[in-house]
Amino acid sequence: MRTILVVDDSPTIRKMVRAALGSLSDVGFIEAGSGLQAIETLAIHPVRMIVLDLNMPDMHGLDVLRFVRSHSQYRALPVMVLTTRGDEASREAVLEAGASSYLTKPFSPSFLVSSVRQLLDADPD
């Protein structure tokens, strides 16, 4: 089972992401409602991908991404940023920090599925 960590402070968005990705076979989900919870979850559970929001109250998603990329065991882990921030500066900062892809909310469920599938299929594990 390939596990995706869905990180967003909104339970509704986490539920929408899980529902949209429910059509993917052999995929399970773990959720985190904050950046700190995401880092704690990574330490406990092996995941194959992260879907990460930027705007969270305790720790900005960009800081979570930088944390992930600073540790060798997570450097190749696909990280999709899914955010309301559609400005070019945010997009550039996230991609420069090592995000695998960048999508904005509201999102198209079919585009989210195809993007996640592409990242999971590119993952060598």
Side-chain angles (χ1 to χ4, degrees), residues 9-21:
D9 59 320
S10 167
T12 302
I13 294 293
R14 293 194 310 265
K15 185 176 182 179
M16 290 172 62
V17 169
R18 284 185 22 240
L21 298 177

Side-chain angles (χ1 to χ4, degrees), residues 59-112:
M59 184 177 188
H60 196 272
L62 188 55
D63 294 325
V64 175
L65 176 61
R66 288 180 178 134
F67 172 87
V68 168
R69 292 300 182 236
S70 71
H71 290 79
S72 60
Q73 69 267 37
Y74 305 128
R75 283 203 183 112
L77 182 67
V79 178
M80 170 186 287
V81 170
L82 180 63
T83 182
T84 57
R85 299 185 64 124
D87 62 286
E88 193 58 32
S90 294
R91 180 181 172 82
E92 286 177 15
V94 164
L95 294 175
E96 188 175 297
S100 307
S101 65
Y102 188 92
L103 278 79
T104 56
K105 302 173 194 171
F107 59 89
S108 157
S110 60
F111 188 73
L112 179 65

Side-chain angles (χ1 to χ4, degrees), residues 7-74:
V7 185
D8 199 298
D9 59 320
S10 167
T12 302
I13 294 293
R14 293 194 310 265
K15 185 176 182 179
M16 290 172 62
V17 169
R18 284 185 22 240
L21 298 177
S23 65
L24 294 173
S25 61
D26 195 32
V27 172
F29 301 96
I30 298 175
E31 296 182 19
S34 71
L36 292 175
Q37 187 180 13
I39 289 172
E40 291 171 356
T41 300
L42 276 176
I44 299 168
H45 300 284
V47 300
R48 293 288 299 275
M49 181 178 175
I50 300 172
V51 176
L52 177 66
D53 186 23
L54 289 182
N55 300 315
M56 293 183 286
D58 66 344
M59 184 177 188
H60 196 272
L62 188 55
D63 294 325
V64 175
L65 176 61
R66 288 180 178 134
F67 172 87
V68 168
R69 292 300 182 236
S70 71
H71 290 79
S72 60
Q73 69 267 37
Y74 305 128

